Amino acid sequence: MAIDYNLLRPLRALLEERSVTRAAERLHMSQPAMSTALGRLRAHYDDVLLVRRGNQHVLTPLAERLLTAVPHAIAETEQVFRIQSRFDPAISTRTFTIAAVDYMTARIAPALTQIVLREAPNVRFEFPAADGRLVEGMPDVLRTIDGAILPHGYVSNHPHIDFAPEEWVCLVDAASGVPERPSADELLTRPWVQTLPAREGASPARQQLRFRGIEPTVVAATPHFFVVPSLLLGTDRVAMVPEAFARMAVDREPRLRLVVPPLDLDPVKDAFWWHLDREQDAEHVWLRSVIERVGRTVIRNPNDGDTPDRLP
């Protein structure tokens, strides 16, 4: 059977909206046109895809599988048509998608914005969260985005740009009674805040502790670094975070204090990762040059500060 790639977007809208009317409105199509598309899709898959139950439609088992696959198929198709042999950033209207945790986005955004405003004023950026679901989808999810900023260990055997490593430190409420030079027991016997929910894995620091047979008691978890301070203030809790974030948090909230743990952990080794499919994409080559400049300017020893004095 011949494949009509024009049906990909109606298929996605129908699966996500579970309604011909809402799918038509979403794609600015007439309802009869969307009904025709649904009929063609049903004929192609030999499956009804949407089944009415009461006042709503539900997906068939095949449709559930398609709902997972179709967004990736559309992203890869769009990527094929975006690839160019030459790239002029001054006139490009490309949208780049970079997944990262919130504090890394906050660190790179000022320098990235200045470079883009100067060199590519019409380029746009999207920053989805590098959460547990994204991590679990690695490395295949790299096919659907332009890159992800993640520590080594979550991704391997893919091209990347390394950032300067940084140490793990602990954040605590300054009134919590944790001494400036605490013992390991003084930290590990307290309740902990984790930056990744247990069902989504563990941070690289937590993984190192587990390897040593150390399992702190986690009482709160969030994938959002900027939520961590609110989970520490007024408590005796401890959170282990990268030093750059800890300094950022203390600057914003003086009631917090940075403590160096006596645990001799390997430092955080963040990198910008991308899929091999992007290797020869002229636009992506430009993006990587920008990321390298931002990394040299911003992702460095946190004692030097996070705001660049000048851009390269």
Side-chain angles (χ1 to χ4, degrees):
M1 180 182 293
I3 299 174
D4 186 350
Y5 291 99
N6 292 320
L7 290 174
L8 275 174
R9 289 190 177 279
L11 175 59
R12 180 177 186 176
L14 286 163
L15 296 176
E16 292 180 348
E17 300 294 342
R18 293 168 169 77
S19 163
V20 172
T21 301
R22 291 196 299 271
E25 292 174 350
R26 172 170 157 179
L27 297 186
H28 307 289
M29 294 172 60
S30 69
Q31 189 166 329
M34 184 59 72
S35 295
T36 299
L38 177 57
R40 294 176 62 190
L41 289 164
R42 283 171 165 169
H44 176 84
Y45 288 107
D46 192 21
D47 187 278
V48 295
L49 301 178
L50 298 175
V51 179
R52 179 173 290 280
R53 285 188 185 170
N55 295 324
Q56 61 183 359
H57 286 89
V58 297
L59 302 181
T60 65
L62 174 62
E64 291 283 0
R65 290 169 55 199
L66 289 171
L67 180 60
T68 301
V70 167
H72 297 288
I74 291 176
E76 291 190 30
T77 302
E78 291 176 344
Q79 171 63 20
V80 168
F81 285 100
R82 280 201 303 259
I83 295 175
Q84 300 178 11
S85 60
R86 296 182 180 181
F87 172 58
D88 184 351
I91 61 173
S92 174
T93 58
R94 168 113 174 226
T95 297
F96 291 103
T97 302
I98 300 175
V101 295
D102 53 359
Y103 102 89
M104 284 299 293
T105 300
R107 288 186 76 190
I108 69 172
L112 179 64
T113 298
Q114 290 186 47
I115 292 175
V116 171
L117 285 175
R118 186 176 63 209
E119 298 181 13
N122 297 312
V123 162
R124 295 179 55 214
F125 281 85
E126 295 179 353
F127 296 97
D131 55 16
R133 289 174 298 178
L134 182 138
V135 169
E136 288 173 2
M138 289 293 171
D140 290 342
V141 73
L142 288 176
R143 291 180 179 273
T144 66
I145 58 179
D146 291 291
I149 299 176
L150 290 170
H152 281 262
Y154 291 121
V155 191
S156 60
N157 300 321
H158 274 71
H160 58 276
I161 297 169
D162 282 322
F163 297 142
E166 54 181 310
E167 299 299 323
W168 290 102
V169 300
C170 289
L171 267 181
V172 298
D173 186 306
S176 64
V178 175
E180 290 189 11
R181 296 184 177 276
S183 67
D185 284 344
E186 285 174 312
L187 292 175
L188 296 172
T189 56
R190 289 174 177 257
W192 276 45
V193 173
Q194 182 173 299
T195 52
L196 202 62
R199 66 182 180 277
E200 297 179 351
S203 69
R206 185 87 184 279
Q207 290 172 351
Q208 291 184 60
L209 293 176
R210 282 180 175 173
F211 184 75
R212 301 180 189 184
I214 301 171
E215 192 66 55
T217 300
V218 176
V219 297
T222 174
H224 309 293
F225 276 77
F226 287 115
V227 174
V228 170
S230 65
L231 297 173
L232 296 174
L233 290 171
T235 76
D236 62 348
R237 298 170 177 174
V238 174
M240 186 169 285
V241 296
E243 185 177 356
F245 172 72
R247 293 184 180 279
M248 192 183 298
V250 171
D251 286 343
R252 296 185 179 197
E253 178 47 78
R255 289 178 293 171
L256 294 174
R257 187 154 56 84
L258 182 158
V259 174
V260 178
L263 297 172
D264 191 28
L265 299 174
D266 292 334
V268 189
K269 296 179 181 178
D270 276 315
F272 174 73
W273 304 83
W274 65 91
H275 199 275
L276 284 167
D277 291 350
R278 304 284 195 273
E279 196 71 9
Q280 303 304 317
D281 180 349
E283 294 173 310
H284 202 274
V285 171
W286 173 81
L287 171 66
R288 299 196 302 263
S289 75
V290 172
I291 295 295
E292 285 184 331
R293 283 181 280 168
V294 170
R296 290 196 304 269
T297 306
V298 177
I299 314 300
R300 59 191 183 196
N301 185 335
N303 292 305
D304 294 335
D306 289 305
T307 304
D309 294 324
R310 62 182 179 82
L311 289 172

